[in-house]
């Protein structure tokens, strides 16, 4: 299978070829490896590859034979390294598959490597000291986003059609927007964190995927959703597969638009223009679209402080566990300055302050739930700016404490984290691009708790009305210079 042919199919399409016997899983995997070898030196998205040990029979599972990459955090694959993008966890080898990895295997995915993440997934740009910066395939001088930046760059450049991603503050949606991909953050409790965790970052983090087509994300979520024994809670299961929702008409939806973020950072003109174009598209499709006022449920500074306390306290516990396991010191020899600052800030978070932060989480969730009683969907830009140049997040970062870093992340991505705090689903859709630079611009659509089906129906309609599959980045495995 030539690379040019390989990149013309999405995951569902590749699985269909395999099921029909038109191509073997080995041939597809070879094409994926060749794609990685062709583009990864320019984008630095893939940390490691290995000989795949899965050999699904053609048609034996919905995604049988589809090449796949897992993120270097959040999922464990027996016998493979999971290093969290950190020197502190260097050489960490998983003893067993996590629940999610077991589901990836059952889906028929052929996992042959892991993608880059910032250290401890503690950023929304992927520029770890351990492996170096991941570069945006649309413009390699710019960030690929984070923390699932490696996954985003790999999918956008054509290495794989879909890849594992996580999202605790926008970590799936930010790379989707930066790399011109589709990415849906599921409802809290939709995908199990077991067996090693009941929840991550107190429920802010979820598992999902990044893909070039809507149906690939739907197919992946169908295969990984559902509780495991011992999970503390789970989202109600959908009435039909998400893959079926993609082709169903969404009806006429009540859509509220939030053009300016809660935190005060103004939406840049190219993004505001893209939002206006999206509103016109939605109008033309028969949806009821209007500007909305959306109460966050907390003041912005209060919101940021609560998130800083939750995230740094969790970070501190994780760092202490890793340092003990590997006998490494908690200092600059093992951790980056920002991670170390977050660790020290988390050490000072008292139990009472931690509980207060959980109270803020509840207030935000209740406030957004009231909004979704009046509207079916909330539309915002995924990000207020175009993809930022590499190094932007690091400017002056050495002077920041744990609160200052979380404030910086929320300032740069002010639209995303509220839905992690509320636990509701949200997706970034690559509906448009900046005419001046050609850089992709993502639009975020959010829905009420458990309503991923509604989002997939809308996403399927938007993909048909304003297709993005014909847009490919500068670094693309299917480029004639590559094949």
């Amino acid at each position: 299978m030539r690379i040019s042919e390989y990149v013309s199919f999405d995951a569902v399409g590749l699985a269909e070829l395999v099921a029909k016997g038109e191509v073997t899983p080995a041939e597809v995997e070879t094409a994926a490896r060749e794609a990685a070898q062709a583009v990864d030196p320019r984008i630095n998205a893939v940390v490691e590859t290995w000989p795949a040990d899965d050999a699904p029979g053609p048609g034996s599972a919905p995604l049988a034979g589809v090449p796949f990459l897992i993120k270097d955090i959040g999922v464990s694959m027996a016998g493979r390294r999971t290093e969290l993008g950190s020197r502190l966890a260097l050489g960490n080898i998983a003893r067993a598959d996590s629940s999610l990895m077991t589901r990836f295997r059952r889906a028929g995915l052929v996992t042959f490597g892991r993608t880059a993440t910032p250290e401890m997934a503690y950023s929304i740009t992927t520029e770890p000291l351990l492996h170096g910066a991941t570069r945006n395939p649309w413009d390699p001088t710019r960030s690929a986003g984070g923390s699932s930046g490696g996954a985003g760059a790999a999918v956008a450049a054509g290495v794989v059609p879909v890849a594992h991603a996580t999202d605790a503050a926008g970590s799936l949606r930010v790379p989707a927007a930066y790399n011109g991909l589709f990415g849906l953050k599921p409802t809290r409790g939709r995908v199990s964190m077991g067996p090693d965790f009941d929840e991550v970052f107190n429920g802010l983090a979820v598992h999902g995927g990044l893909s070039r087509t809507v149906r690939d994300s739907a197919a992946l979520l169908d295969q990984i959703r559902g509780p495991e024994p011992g999970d503390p809670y789970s989202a109600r299961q959908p009435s039909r597969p998400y893959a079926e929702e993609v082709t169903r008409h969404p009806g006429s939806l009540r859509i509220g638009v939030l053009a300016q973020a809660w935190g005060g950072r103004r939406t840049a003109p190219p993004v505001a223009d893209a939002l206006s174009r999206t509103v016109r598209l939605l109008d033309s499709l028969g949806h009821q679209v209007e500007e909305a006022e959306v109460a966050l449920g907390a003041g912005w500074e209060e919101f940021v402080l609560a998130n800083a306390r939750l995230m740094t306290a969790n970070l501190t516990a994780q760092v202490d566990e890793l340092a003990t396991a590997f006998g490494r010191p908690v200092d600059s020899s093992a951790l980056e300055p920002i991670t170390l600052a977050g660790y020290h800030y988390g050490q000072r978070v008292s139990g009472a302050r931690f509980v207060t932060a959980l109270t803020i989480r509840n207030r935000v969730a209740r406030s957004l739930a009231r909004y979704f009683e009046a509207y079916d969907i909330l539309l915002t830009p995924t990000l207020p700016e175009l993809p930022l140049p590499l190094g932007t997040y690091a400017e002056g970062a050495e002077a920041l404490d744990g609160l200052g870093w979380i404030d910086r992340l929320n300032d740069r991505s002010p639209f995303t984290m509220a839905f992690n705090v509320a636990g509701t689903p949200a997706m970034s859709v690559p509906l448009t691009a900046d005419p001046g630079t050609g850089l992709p611009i993502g639009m975020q659509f959010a829905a009420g708790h458990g309503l991923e089906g509604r989002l997939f129906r809308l996403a399927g309609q938007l993909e048909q009305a304003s297709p993005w599959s014909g847009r490919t980045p500068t670094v693309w495995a299917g480029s004639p210079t590559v094949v």
Side-chain angles (χ1 to χ4, degrees):
M1 184 178 222
R2 291 173 58 84
I3 298 177
S4 58
E5 182 185 9
Y6 166 72
V7 298
S8 70
F9 290 93
D10 64 359
V12 172
L14 288 171
E16 290 173 349
L17 289 180
V18 171
K20 294 175 182 176
E22 295 181 17
V23 66
T24 67
E27 289 171 329
V28 179
E29 181 189 344
T30 296
R33 291 181 181 279
E34 290 174 350
Q37 292 168 2
V39 300
D40 199 58
R42 297 177 63 188
I43 58 174
N44 195 35
V46 182
V47 171
E48 179 189 13
T49 61
W50 50 69
D53 57 6
D54 294 296
S60 61
L63 295 172
V66 175
F68 195 67
L69 296 168
I70 54 175
K71 188 175 176 181
D72 190 28
I73 193 170
V75 60
S76 298
M77 185 176 186
R80 300 299 178 191
R81 286 185 290 177
T82 302
E83 296 173 320
L84 294 71
S86 178
R87 293 166 291 171
L88 185 63
L90 200 62
N92 179 40
I93 297 176
R95 294 188 297 273
D97 284 354
S98 61
S99 299
L100 180 61
M101 191 65 229
T102 298
R103 294 186 182 204
F104 287 151
R105 291 187 194 272
R106 288 175 183 167
L109 294 163
V110 178
T111 303
F112 70 98
R114 56 189 171 118
T115 59
T117 177
E119 184 170 64
M120 307 289 183
Y122 195 54
S123 181
I124 53 175
T125 186
T126 304
E127 303 177 47
L129 288 179
L130 180 61
H131 300 298
T134 296
R135 298 178 177 274
N136 192 314
W138 295 85
D139 178 351
T141 69
R142 296 179 186 258
S143 170
S147 63
S148 304
V155 173
V159 176
V160 288
V162 62
H164 167 239
T166 65
D167 193 317
S171 290
L172 182 159
R173 289 158 291 156
V174 171
Y178 268 22
N179 294 284
L181 302 174
F182 178 80
L184 186 144
K185 179 197 83 67
T187 296
R188 180 180 298 147
R190 177 67 67 208
V191 181
S192 177
M193 291 286 179
D196 293 334
F197 303 97
D198 58 357
E199 58 181 15
V200 175
F201 287 124
N202 297 101
L204 271 61
V206 295
H207 287 293
L210 286 164
S211 61
R212 297 195 295 272
T213 65
V214 175
R215 69 176 187 173
D216 276 1
S217 281
L220 181 67
L221 188 54
D222 276 332
Q223 298 307 307
I224 64 175
R225 61 178 167 86
E228 290 284 340
D231 283 353
Y233 49 75
S234 63
R236 178 182 296 179
Q237 291 303 296
S239 59
R240 65 179 64 88
Y242 293 129
E244 293 182 12
E245 299 286 15
V246 174
T247 57
R248 292 173 65 89
H249 195 278
S252 178
L253 299 173
R254 299 165 299 166
I255 301 177
V257 181
L258 183 67
Q260 301 296 336
W262 292 286
R265 176 175 283 277
R266 303 298 294 176
T267 300
V271 179
D273 177 67
L275 179 63
S276 296
R277 282 182 275 160
T278 300
V279 168
R280 291 195 294 271
L281 174 62
L282 293 166
D283 280 331
S284 73
L285 294 171
H287 300 294
Q288 305 165 50
V289 188
E290 63 183 39
E291 291 187 14
E293 292 186 7
V294 185
L296 185 58
W300 183 251
E301 291 184 359
E302 188 178 30
F303 175 78
V304 171
L305 177 60
N307 288 323
R309 287 172 172 171
L310 290 176
M311 298 191 83
T312 60
N314 279 272
L315 175 70
T316 298
Q318 183 179 35
V319 166
D320 281 339
E321 181 179 357
L322 289 169
T324 299
F326 294 103
R328 291 178 178 137
V330 181
D331 60 22
S332 59
S333 68
L335 291 174
E336 298 176 23
I338 285 300
T339 314
L340 196 57
Y343 171 83
H344 290 309
Y345 188 91
Q347 285 181 309
R348 301 191 296 272
V349 175
S350 68
R353 287 175 173 172
F354 189 83
V355 171
T356 299
L358 292 175
T359 301
I360 300 299
R361 185 189 71 174
N362 178 62
R363 282 166 46 190
V364 171
R366 304 293 177 178
S367 184
L368 289 179
R370 286 191 293 272
Y371 165 86
F372 287 119
E373 291 178 350
Y375 293 93
D376 298 312
I377 297 287
L378 174 61
L379 165 64
T380 78
T382 306
L383 293 159
E385 305 168 296
L386 296 176
L388 296 171
L390 289 167
T392 300
Y393 284 90
E395 292 175 358
E398 66 280 354
L400 298 177
D401 64 1
L403 173 59
W405 178 247
I406 299 299
D407 180 56
R408 175 169 291 190
L409 299 185
N410 278 273
D411 177 57
R412 291 293 188 179
S413 183
F415 293 106
T416 55
M417 192 164 190
F419 304 106
N420 295 89
V421 174
T424 54
M427 64 182 181
S428 182
V429 185
L431 284 174
T432 187
D434 174 40
T437 63
L439 293 169
I441 299 174
M443 290 291 120
Q444 178 177 241
F445 298 83
H449 190 274
L451 295 178
E452 288 94 331
R454 179 179 294 168
L455 291 176
F456 276 123
R457 289 193 294 274
L458 177 59
Q461 182 189 50
L462 293 171
E463 187 177 32
Q464 289 296 313
S466 183
W468 53 81
S469 61
R471 300 198 299 262
T472 55
T474 303
V475 182
W476 171 241
S479 169
T481 59
V482 172
V483 298

